Amino acid sequence: MDKKVELFVPCFIDQLYPDTAFNTIRLLERAGCEVVYNSEQTCCGQPAYNAGFWDEAKEVGTSFLNNFSEENYIVSPSASCVGMLKGGYNDLFTNSIEHNRCRNIQRHVHEISDFLVNVIKRDYFGAELVGTAVYHDSCAALRECGIREEPRKLLAQVGGLELLETKDGETCCGFGGTFAVKFEGISVAMAERKVKNAQAVNADYIISTDASCLLQLQAYIDKHHIPIKTLHLVDVLTSGWANI
């Protein structure tokens, strides 16, 4: 049965990884969804919220609530933003005039892997990617959204891809939004550990559901000329379709 899905494209992906946004549409359409995109949408308010500017975050969040409906599924290729919507909005909108609208929208918000596996109940989309990969559990996906097995189920169905686990696989990559700016040395050391653990198992790819983590890790990889490539889960699941 067709499902109408409203697509939420996070700022990070809109500005730096637009191909991931388009691939999200392709993936959802292949899953049998009717995808709707409201071009008026902006940020979910997470940067302001994390920095302690809750009044400003609430203003941005109110705009988000007005740009999405209470009836349809809302899907995003970002666990970080979904974590903000499901958690941070409780701080901003509980017992406010937007309380009920916020709760209705929260019930319909899903990160892409959660939506595909738990709502659509599909894990095979005909993707092909030859090589070995490790999956990076972003803090937001694992700790805020409770997502762990869903991406792995999807990646297990990708033709030619061998998925490996690494040491300290559930530790942070060191990005953490403004953390990477305020604590550069610690942030770089955390990225180094993640990349070296991927090198230890001879991974060709590091895959994640959060573009911000991938940016952090790819920056370290590029600086040190390491032969590993970071990929968003959505880009993996839409690769190799021309071979079908």
Side-chain angles (χ1 to χ4, degrees):
M1 186 177 71
D2 286 351
K3 291 180 171 62
K4 181 176 281 190
V5 169
E6 296 181 32
L7 177 64
F8 171 43
V9 178
C11 314
F12 225 91
I13 288 176
D14 178 63
Q15 296 295 314
L16 299 175
Y17 302 100
D19 287 348
T20 300
F22 287 112
N23 284 337
T24 303
I25 296 172
R26 295 172 66 212
L27 185 59
L28 288 168
E29 288 179 341
R30 177 160 286 205
C33 299
E34 176 190 348
V35 182
V36 178
Y37 176 75
N38 181 356
S39 61
E40 296 297 312
Q41 64 179 267
T42 58
C43 180
C44 65
Q46 183 183 181
Y49 174 81
N50 287 345
F53 297 101
W54 284 22
D55 288 342
E56 290 80 357
K58 187 172 182 179
E59 185 176 343
V60 176
T62 300
S63 177
F64 180 93
L65 295 178
N66 290 333
N67 285 325
F68 289 87
S69 77
E70 300 176 58
E71 296 81 29
N72 300 321
Y73 292 108
I74 301 167
V75 176
S76 179
S78 168
S80 177
C81 295
V82 170
M84 171 65 187
L85 297 171
K86 287 185 172 292
Y89 275 28
N90 290 339
D91 291 327
L92 299 179
F93 297 110
T94 296
N95 296 329
S96 72
I97 194 169
E98 296 94 352
H99 180 100
N100 290 341
R101 178 173 180 79
C102 179
R103 288 291 183 271
N104 288 336
I105 285 178
Q106 284 175 316
R107 280 192 284 271
H108 290 92
V109 172
H110 294 272
E111 181 272 333
I112 184 75
S113 69
D114 169 43
F115 181 75
L116 294 175
V117 172
N118 298 322
V119 179
I120 296 289
K121 300 192 184 303
R122 282 188 56 183
D123 59 14
Y124 177 70
F125 297 94
E128 291 183 7
L129 180 68
V130 176
T132 57
V134 295
Y135 175 74
H136 165 62
D137 290 283
S138 74
C139 296
L142 191 64
R143 296 167 179 82
E144 295 180 18
C145 301
I147 293 167
R148 189 184 189 284
E149 297 306 321
E150 290 86 351
R152 289 171 170 83
K153 285 182 180 179
L154 293 162
L155 291 171
Q157 298 297 326
V158 175
L161 188 67
E162 181 185 5
L163 190 62
L164 306 170
E165 294 294 334
T166 66
K167 179 183 176 185
D168 299 327
E170 296 184 355
T171 59
C172 179
C173 68
F175 180 69
T178 57
F179 178 88
V181 178
K182 294 178 180 177
F183 304 100
E184 180 185 357
I186 300 172
S187 174
V188 171
M190 294 171 77
E192 178 182 36
R193 182 169 65 175
K194 296 295 293 189
V195 173
K196 285 191 178 299
N197 285 339
Q199 283 183 282
V201 295
N202 297 315
D204 299 307
Y205 306 103
I206 299 174
I207 301 167
S208 185
T209 59
D210 272 295
S212 53
C213 298
L214 299 176
L215 179 79
Q216 162 85 349
L217 297 173
Q218 191 66 54
Y220 181 87
I221 288 166
D222 290 345
K223 183 175 181 179
H224 297 278
H225 308 290
I226 297 167
I228 295 178
K229 184 177 181 181
T230 59
L231 289 170
H232 193 285
L233 175 68
V234 164
D235 298 327
V236 176
L237 297 178
T238 52
S239 64
W241 283 3
N243 299 329
I244 296 174

